[in-house]
Amino acid sequence: MNMIRMAGALLLLLCGSSMIGMIPAALLCGRKEQDRHCCAGRALLLGTGICMLCFALPVTVACVRGKSFLFVFRLGGSLLALLLALALCLLFFIRRVRRFCMEQLALLRSRKWWISFGILAGLYASLAIICLLHRPLLESRFDLPERLSAMQGTNLMGGINPLTGEMTGVSSGWGTAARSFLPAWYLFLMRLFHLQVWDMLFKVAPLWLLALCMSAYYEIGAVVLSYSAADEAITGGQAAPAQNRRRLLIYMAFFTIFTLCGNGAYMNPSYGLLHYAYEETTLLGSVLLPAVFALLLTAFRLGRSKGRQVE
Amino acid sequence: MAEFWEQMKLTLYFMRLEDKYWGLFLIGLFVLFYLRRKETKGLLIFACAASLVCICPPTAYGLSKFLPAADEYYRLWHIVPAGVVVCVALTLLFELLGQDRKRQVLFALGVFALLFFAGEFAYTSQDAWNDDTTHLGREETAVYELLLADMQKQGMETAYLWGPQKVMADSRIYSVALRPIYGKDIASEESDYSNEQKSMYQGYETYAAPDSPIDNKEEQVMAIANCLNVFPEITCDYVVLVNPAAQGSDVDPVWIFERLGYAYVGETETFQIFRRL
C-alpha cells in the first residue's frame, strides 16, 4: 500500500508537472525541424517551476502573516488543482499546443526514439538505484528532516528551532518563508498521499529530483551540442536531429558516469544528489541553477534561429 | 614502476581535491577550442553565463541570506559549468574517434577508470554503510519507544532529553515530543547555544562517547553525573546513557543517578534510560 502511495506521489510530481509544462514548452519550441526533439524534460522543468511558484504564494503569505500550515495546504492544494485543470483545458483548446503534444506523442512511433528512451531510462535507473540504496547521513548540519517533522507535529510554519523544539521567537518574515518552502512542499505531498517523513525524503524526493536534474542537463546538452548540427541543417547539410540524438545520448552517458563516480559531486552541493537529495542545497545546485541555464539557453537559441529566419 | 605508481597515486589524490574542477574545466575548454572550434560557440556562451551567475555578488548575497550552508555556494560553479564542459568535451572527443568500436570501447573504459579513481563513488564514501551514523538505528528506535511509552505513562506531552550524540541527533525526526537539550549542529553552530549547553556537550564529547579514548568507564559516568549536577538550571527530564555493562565495566549507574534524583526507567542492549523525579 505504501508503495502505491509513493508511486502516486511520484506520478503526480512528474506527470502532473509535465502536463502543466507542455503549454509553455509548446510556445518555446521553434517551428524548425531541428527544434522538434523530445521536449518531455523541458516540459517537466517548466511545469515544476510553475507549480513551485504557485505553491510559493501561500507559503509566503502564511509566513509573512503568521498563518499555520493548514492554510498553506488548503490554498496551495486549491491553486495547484486549479492549475492542473486549466492546463488540461488549454491542452485541448489551444491548437498549437494540441499539435505540439501530438507531435511529441508521434515520437513514440519511431523505433530510434524508443531506443533513446530506453538508454535514458537505463541511465536514470542506474543513478536511482544508488539514491535508493544509499543510506543518507543524518548527522550533518542540514536539518530539513527535523523541520519537516516539526512542521508536521506542530502545524507551525516557523518560530521553532527544529533541532531542539525550543521556540525561537522569529515566526514570520521572508527568511522564514524561504526556509519553510521546501519542507512545506514535501509536507503537502505527505498529507496528500499519507506518506511518512522517511518515505518522502529518502524515496520519493530523490527520484523526483534526479529526474529534474537529468532533464536540466539533457536540455543544456541539447542546446550546447546542437549548435553546429543546427547550422548544418539550416544550410541544408546532414540530418542534424539524428546526429544530435546520438551526441546527446553519449553526453548523458558521460554525465551519468561523472555523477555516479562522484566527480560532479564530491565536496559540493551536488554531492547531495546521491547523498542528501532532499536538501535545499541539492535542489539549488543540481536542479534549479542548471534548469535556469537550460531554459535561458533554449530561449537564446530560439531567438537566434528566429533571427536567422528573418534574415 | 613503483615510482610511477606513487606519482600516479599522488596525481589522483590531487584530482580528488576541489581544485580539480578548475583543471578539468580548463582542460575541457582547451580540448574543445583546439579540436572543434566551431562547436564551442554555444558552450562558451553557456560557460561564461554560468560563471558570471555563480560568481555574481547578488547571487552570493541572496544565497547567504536565505539558504543554509550558503558559505559553500561557490562550489556551484564547479558543478554547473565545469560538469557540462567536461562532459561535452568527452562527447566530442568520443565522436572524433570515428566508427572504430574498439577505440570507442577503450576510450569509454579509460574515461570511466579515470573518473572512478579520481572521484568519490557514492558507495565507497565514508560512512555509507555505517549503521552507527546512518538512518535511524535499531537501538535508537528502541530508546525512543521506551521514552515515549514512559512519557505517556507519566502524562508528559514533551520531554527534554540528554544522551549520546546519535540518540539526540535523530530524536526529533522520530518524534517532535522529544526535545534534546542541544541540537546536532552544536559542533558547527556553537553560538546558538548557551555556555552551559556547550559545557555539557564538551563533557559528553570528552567522556561519554562509546569510542572515547578514556578507558575508565566509571569516570565517564561520573563526568555525565557531574555535568547534570553542575548545571541544575538546564531542565533535563530524561538521561540516556551508554550502558557501562555493555562496555565491559562493572560500574552501577543506577546507584549514582538515583542519588542525583533520577529514577531508572529501562534499558536496551546498549543504552540505559533515567527519568528525573
Side-chain angles (χ1 to χ4, degrees), chain B residues 153-211:
Chain B
K153 212 186 290 176
Q154 302 298 323
M156 298 161 82
E157 283 185 3
T158 58
Y160 288 93
L161 157 81
W162 189 39
Q165 197 177 357
K166 173 74 176 149
V167 172
M168 287 182 49
D170 297 353
S171 59
R172 293 283 299 169
I173 305 171
Y174 193 82
S175 169
V176 281
L178 300 171
R179 296 172 67 167
I181 58 172
Y182 52 75
K184 65 185 180 186
D185 60 342
I186 194 167
S188 55
E189 308 286 339
E190 279 191 22
S191 55
D192 291 350
Y193 296 91
S194 68
N195 286 332
E196 289 82 6
Q197 285 168 321
K198 273 187 263 183
S199 299
M200 290 181 91
Y201 172 68
Q202 279 158 7
Y204 170 77
E205 278 283 282
T206 318
Y207 295 105
D211 55 354

Side-chain angles (χ1 to χ4, degrees), chain B residues 44-268:
Chain B
L44 279 173
I45 295 167
F46 164 73
C48 291
S51 302
L52 199 68
V53 170
C54 291
I55 334 173
C56 190
T59 321
Y61 177 76
L63 293 176
S64 65
K65 203 164 168 57
F66 296 120
L67 275 173
D71 51 325
E72 292 172 1
Y73 95 97
Y74 69 92
R75 286 177 179 152
L76 293 175
W77 186 88
H78 292 155
I79 183 65
V80 181
V84 172
V85 168
V86 173
C87 290
V88 169
L90 289 173
T91 308
L92 294 180
L93 274 175
F94 189 82
E95 272 202 339
L96 279 180
L97 297 175
Q99 296 298 317
D100 189 346
R101 297 272 173 210
K102 199 178 161 188
R103 281 165 72 185
Q104 284 179 345
V105 170
L106 277 175
F107 178 77
L109 283 175
V111 167
F112 183 78
L114 183 70
L115 292 178
F116 185 85
F117 287 114
E120 187 76 7
F121 190 54
Y123 267 81
T124 56
S125 63
Q126 205 184 0
D127 296 334
W129 292 101
N130 191 349
D131 276 343
D132 291 339
T133 54
T134 57
H135 258 279
L136 279 176
R138 189 173 47 86
E139 276 290 306
E140 284 78 23
T141 311
V143 168
Y144 304 141
E145 291 288 344
L146 264 176
L147 283 171
L148 290 170
D150 192 64
M151 280 165 64
Q152 202 176 9
K153 212 186 290 176
Q154 302 298 323
M156 298 161 82
E157 283 185 3
T158 58
Y160 288 93
L161 157 81
W162 189 39
Q165 197 177 357
K166 173 74 176 149
V167 172
M168 287 182 49
D170 297 353
S171 59
R172 293 283 299 169
I173 305 171
Y174 193 82
S175 169
V176 281
L178 300 171
R179 296 172 67 167
I181 58 172
Y182 52 75
K184 65 185 180 186
D185 60 342
I186 194 167
S188 55
E189 308 286 339
E190 279 191 22
S191 55
D192 291 350
Y193 296 91
S194 68
N195 286 332
E196 289 82 6
Q197 285 168 321
K198 273 187 263 183
S199 299
M200 290 181 91
Y201 172 68
Q202 279 158 7
Y204 170 77
E205 278 283 282
T206 318
Y207 295 105
D211 55 354
S212 165
I214 296 170
D215 294 330
N216 190 338
K217 305 301 173 194
E218 189 175 357
E219 197 178 339
Q220 287 183 2
V221 176
M222 289 309 291
I224 295 167
N226 191 37
C227 279
L228 289 169
N229 201 28
V230 171
F231 304 119
E233 64 273 22
I234 294 180
T235 316
C236 186
D237 299 314
Y238 286 94
V239 174
V240 180
L241 207 65
V242 178
N243 191 349
Q247 295 178 306
S249 167
D250 56 357
V251 181
D252 182 16
V254 179
W255 186 86
I256 299 166
F257 274 83
E258 275 179 356
R259 262 130 205 91
L260 280 170
Y262 282 83
Y264 174 75
V265 174
E267 66 181 50
T268 66

